[in-house]
Amino acid sequence: MGQFVNCSLPGTEVTNCGKISANGCCAKGCVRNAIGRCVQEQCTGSWNGWLSRPVTMSCYFHWFLLIFAALIFALMLALLSCNVAYEVRNCMRKRSQARQSRYVHFSASSSMSSSVV
């Protein structure tokens, strides 16, 4: 039991999930628990379960991808909302300028007939 086995070698014998492993190697998707039994790895079973029990690198990579995707999604959502706010502001400004130009164009002070000679 004192020797270490490289479980990633193709010829290494692995134990199915639910059985006690003699050499410490479990099948892909399984991890060895405290009593030596290979149990199904549950990466996304709970939000903090992967911090307390031994997991494989694929589980950490899975969480990394989820968190990275969430960050990219939040960034794109922020850019989209900034763009919408800019477009609405631009549209309101053009509307306001068009409304003001109507009144300036037809005001009494700009008409030639209203001037006193």
Side-chain angles (χ1 to χ4, degrees):
M1 193 78 183
Q3 65 182 1
F4 294 101
V5 178
N6 186 356
C7 298
S8 61
L9 292 175
T12 307
E13 200 174 309
V14 294
T15 306
N16 293 334
C17 284
K19 299 190 177 177
I20 296 175
S21 59
N23 60 0
C25 296
C26 297
K28 188 176 178 98
C30 301
V31 290
R32 192 170 165 209
N33 65 4
I35 60 171
R37 187 178 297 271
C38 290
V39 293
Q40 184 82 28
E41 183 180 37
Q42 296 178 350
C43 293
T44 56
S46 66
W47 286 104
N48 61 356
W50 59 283
L51 293 171
S52 60
R53 59 180 176 265
V55 292
T56 60
M57 283 306 289
S58 64
C59 192
Y60 287 120
F61 186 66
H62 176 84
W63 276 101
F64 166 74
L65 286 179
L66 283 176
I67 292 169
F68 188 69
L71 287 174
I72 295 293
F73 181 75
L75 179 68
M76 290 298 145
L77 200 60
L79 285 173
L80 180 71
S81 59
C82 286
N83 189 26
V84 167
Y86 173 77
E87 291 295 333
V88 167
R89 182 176 156 254
N90 201 14
C91 180
M92 296 302 261
R93 187 170 44 92
K94 284 181 182 178
R95 247 174 94 184
S96 174
Q97 285 176 350
R99 194 175 317 141
Q100 287 174 356
S101 70
R102 248 187 299 165
Y103 294 124
V104 169
H105 182 66
F106 292 114
S107 69
S109 62
S110 67
S111 175
M112 293 301 260
S113 64
S114 67
S115 62
V116 178
V117 180

